Each structure stands twice: as C-alpha cells, then as structure tokens.
Amino acid sequence: MASINTNSASMAALRTLNMTQNSLGKVQSQLETGLRVNSAKDAPATFVIAQGMRADIGALNAVSEGISFGQATIGMAMAGATSISDQLTTLKGLVTQAKNEGLDGAVIQGQVTEVLAQIDAITSTSAFNGVNLITATATTLTVPTGLGATDNVAFTNVDLSSTTGLALNTVDASDTANLDTHLATIDAAIATVGGALTSIGTFSSRLDDQGEFTQLLTDTMKEGLGVLVDADMAEVAAELTALQTKEQLNIQSLSIANSAPQTILALFR
C-alpha cells in the first residue's frame, strides 16, 4: 500500500543507519582509547577482571617501590660496613706498628683514637631516610615482597659501633705489654664486620633478585591485561573503513526511501 503517513522503507533504513552509527561510535572509541573493553557495558565480566588486575598491578608497583627503598637502605649499610672494615685495617696496622722499638706509643694511640672516632662517625651517618642498620639502636628493615600479608623479608640491624658493637674501647697502642691482646680484639672486630658484610650482602642480593622477579610479574600481568582489554588496532582500522562505507550507503538508502512518497504525486497529474 502506498502511504504518505507511514514510510516503512524509510523507517527500516533509519534503523539500519542508527545501528551502523552505534557500531561506528564503538569502533571510534576503541581507536581513541586503544581499548576493546573500556567500561562495564562493553563486557561486564571482562571489565571486572581487568579492574582487579589493574589493582594488583598498582599494588605490585608499590611493592617495587618498597624493594627500591630497601635496596637503598641496605646499600647504605653496606657502604658503611665496608668503610668500617677499611678503618679496622688501618687500626690493625697502627697497633702492629706500635710493636716497633723506638716509636712513641702515645702518638700512635692518638691516631688510634681518631680511627675509633671515625668508625663511630660512620656508624652514626650510615642512614637512609632515617633508617640506620649498623648502629646500636635496635632497628629492623622490613621489605615487602608480594601482595600477601606475610610476603616480606626483614633485616635486623648489626651494631658496628666501636664500643658496644666491636668492643674496641679497650685498644691501647701505648700498652706495649698487651699489644697482642689488643690485636686479638681488633681481629675479633674484623670478624664481626666481616660477618655483618656477609649478612648485608646476602640480603642485598636477595632484594635484587626479588626486585627483578616483581618487575617480571608486573610486566606479565600487564601483558595479560592487554590480552583482555586491548583492541587489535589493525582490525579496528579495517572495521572503521567498512563501517564508514556502510554509513554512506545507509544514508543513500535513507535518501531513496524518503523520496519514495513523492512518486505518489505522479498519480494526480
């Protein structure tokens, strides 16, 4: 039936055009964001999973920051302990030198005092962001290693101060009768610092390994997230071209359908 009130062909063409333009809008959104799933309406289940993965990735980034802080702190402790080890080498040389005849033990003791003061200066300044792992003050460095409540490692401070930690306050180069005893005390201090360096180095190595693993885990999760939500840009480009062509054809079809009622005028001529 020919009607000027109802144009079924025009309505069908308009519906098709609207559907094409909706699809075109989705494709353009993918092109702008690079995401196939950009909101819950695109794919609710996938979007929820993706949001959970984004939260985990953010948490892992925080873990990486914590590990970096731990590496810097333990690195400062390692530098301090290494410097103290060097000072102990100097100290042992001085006390050994005091055994030589004709040398003034009091003068050498003055140098010994300076070395001990330097050791204490090193221990008091080997801190990173207020955390010092080689002083007498009880300190524990706790470093996160994962997302679980118990995923962490800890390092307890090692006292390397000249008095309470290394017991060097009794060393006296002017006490020539007991120089061997003083050298034994220095050797014990060297062993203590050596043990501290071993512990610090082992912990530092563990943090390095954990940092690399955390970065690998973060990258893997990002890749997995990309598989879930990223758009295939080659496919998007091809679909965009097809939809743009389809849109033009839909507009042409709508134009033809809208002109159909005008043919009725020919019946009245």
Side-chain angles (χ1 to χ4, degrees), residues 66-84 122 125-129 131-134 141 143 155 160 196-197 199-208:
I67 292 174
S68 296
F69 174 82
Q71 288 172 319
T73 305
I74 203 71
M76 184 66 74
M78 185 182 298
T82 301
S83 295
I84 290 172
I122 292 170
T125 57
S126 297
F128 180 82
N129 198 30
V131 179
N132 193 326
L133 298 175
I134 60 172
L141 173 67
V143 181
F155 184 87
L160 297 183
L197 280 170
S199 299
I200 293 171
T202 301
F203 192 80
S204 178
S205 178
R206 182 175 182 180
L207 289 184
D208 290 343

Side-chain angles (χ1 to χ4, degrees), residues 26 47 110 124 144 247 253:
K26 293 179 181 179
F47 182 75
S124 63
E247 182 185 37
S253 176

Side-chain angles (χ1 to χ4, degrees), residues 84-100 108 111-112 115-116 119 168 171 173 179-180 182-191:
I84 290 172
S85 179
D86 293 338
Q87 292 297 319
L88 290 177
T89 299
T90 300
L91 182 62
K92 184 172 183 178
L94 288 171
V95 176
T96 301
Q97 188 179 19
K99 287 185 173 184
N100 296 334
I108 295 177
Q111 294 177 279
V112 167
V115 170
L116 295 179
I119 290 175
L168 294 174
V171 173
L179 289 178
D180 288 336
H182 297 315
L183 285 172
T185 299
I186 295 172
D187 286 337
I190 290 173

Side-chain angles (χ1 to χ4, degrees), residues 148-232:
T150 59
D151 291 339
N152 56 68
V153 292
F155 184 87
T156 303
N157 72 300
V158 181
D159 184 6
L160 297 183
S161 59
S162 65
T163 55
T164 58
L166 302 180
L168 294 174
N169 53 307
T170 60
V171 173
D172 185 357
S174 63
D175 182 14
T176 56
N178 296 297
L179 289 178
D180 288 336
T181 300
H182 297 315
L183 285 172
T185 299
I186 295 172
D187 286 337
I190 290 173
T192 298
V193 174
L197 280 170
T198 299
S199 299
I200 293 171
T202 301
F203 192 80
S204 178
S205 178
R206 182 175 182 180
L207 289 184
D208 290 343
D209 292 342
Q210 187 62 44
E212 292 177 4
F213 174 73
T214 302
Q215 186 59 56
L216 175 62
L217 187 60
T218 302
D219 291 344
T220 301
M221 291 192 70
K222 288 180 178 179
E223 291 173 5
L225 178 62
V227 171
L228 283 178
V229 302
D230 286 356
D232 185 337

